[in-house]
Amino acid sequence: MLEAIYLAGHGGQGTLSTGQLLALAAVKEGKCVSYVPHYGVEKRGGVSNCGVTVSDRQVSSPFVTEPTVLVAMNSLSLERYENAVVPGGLIITNSSLVEAKVSRTDVKAVPIRANDEAEALGDPLVANNIILGAVLELTGVVSIKTVEESLKEVLPPRHHHKIPVNLKALERGAQLAREYINPTGE
């Protein structure tokens, strides 16, 4: 098993904390992991990306250059990284902010209205975990239960009161992915 996941967005969208959460959960499950953040010098709104590689074997390179999964949290991220995804890979877009459709036909494209769904849950800051729930559902890279257990370690103690809404976000993202892949529920 090897998943090379690239999460791309801008500062404040939670891409780095999502990557940390995914990486920690994978470590807890005994998998080999690399996590490499990339961010701009801006305090808010600049580039904020990370690569997370999860494997059952040693990871040969920490850098994700050919992702099996791309999470595009904004339009620039889709435009910049769509062509890097391996054929047969997965692209999940935050379609609340990404209006363009994935142009490639050799990948699975799943739009998730993460910002709108986060608003519906009452906390716009959980859009990243709605997307993470979809990633977990579509890849099985780690269990949602392990991610839930890891939240207390990734979120600072001052935000532990937000764990329940983050759990709802993960579950909602998984549900949306299931509905997208199987819209009739059969």
Side-chain angles (χ1 to χ4, degrees), residues 108-130:
K108 184 186 307 181
V110 179
I112 301 285
R113 298 192 62 75
N115 285 54
D116 298 340
E117 293 290 338
E119 290 282 347
L121 289 176
D123 189 341
L125 298 179
V126 298
N128 59 323
N129 280 332
I130 289 172

Side-chain angles (χ1 to χ4, degrees), residues 80-100:
R80 186 173 287 166
Y81 301 110
E82 176 180 357
N83 289 328
V85 178
V86 298
L90 171 65
I91 299 176
I92 300 175
T93 57
N94 175 4
S95 58
S96 296
L97 300 178
V98 179
E99 293 179 13

Side-chain angles (χ1 to χ4, degrees), residues 5-171:
I5 302 168
Y6 201 74
L7 299 110
H10 60 261
Q13 288 187 300
T15 54
L16 299 182
S17 62
T18 301
Q20 284 181 308
L21 186 56
L22 179 58
L24 178 60
V27 167
K28 285 179 177 260
E29 290 188 359
K31 296 177 178 164
C32 298
V33 179
S34 75
Y35 165 76
V36 179
H38 307 275
Y39 45 87
V41 297
E42 302 87 357
K43 186 170 184 174
R44 280 267 179 218
V47 172
S48 182
N49 304 333
C50 67
V52 180
T53 304
V54 179
S55 179
D56 52 6
R57 296 181 180 171
Q58 284 190 337
V59 177
S60 61
S61 173
F63 300 105
V64 174
T65 56
E66 295 180 323
T68 58
V69 179
L70 170 65
V71 170
M73 293 295 287
N74 59 22
S75 294
L76 181 60
S77 297
L78 177 61
E79 181 182 318
R80 186 173 287 166
Y81 301 110
E82 176 180 357
N83 289 328
V85 178
V86 298
L90 171 65
I91 299 176
I92 300 175
T93 57
N94 175 4
S95 58
S96 296
L97 300 178
V98 179
E99 293 179 13
K101 303 281 188 232
V102 172
S103 62
R104 292 180 53 190
T105 58
D106 63 340
V107 296
K108 184 186 307 181
V110 179
I112 301 285
R113 298 192 62 75
N115 285 54
D116 298 340
E117 293 290 338
E119 290 282 347
L121 289 176
D123 189 341
L125 298 179
V126 298
N128 59 323
N129 280 332
I130 289 172
I131 293 289
L132 180 55
V135 169
L136 300 176
E137 181 68 27
L138 296 169
T139 65
V141 65
V142 294
S143 77
I144 198 166
K145 182 174 176 27
T146 308
V147 171
E148 290 172 353
E149 293 168 1
S150 301
L151 274 169
K152 281 187 182 175
E153 294 176 55
V154 172
L155 288 177
R158 71 181 184 278
H159 291 303
H160 282 188
H161 68 282
K162 292 188 171 208
I163 288 175
V165 73
N166 278 281
L167 296 177
K168 287 180 185 175
L170 288 165
E171 293 292 341

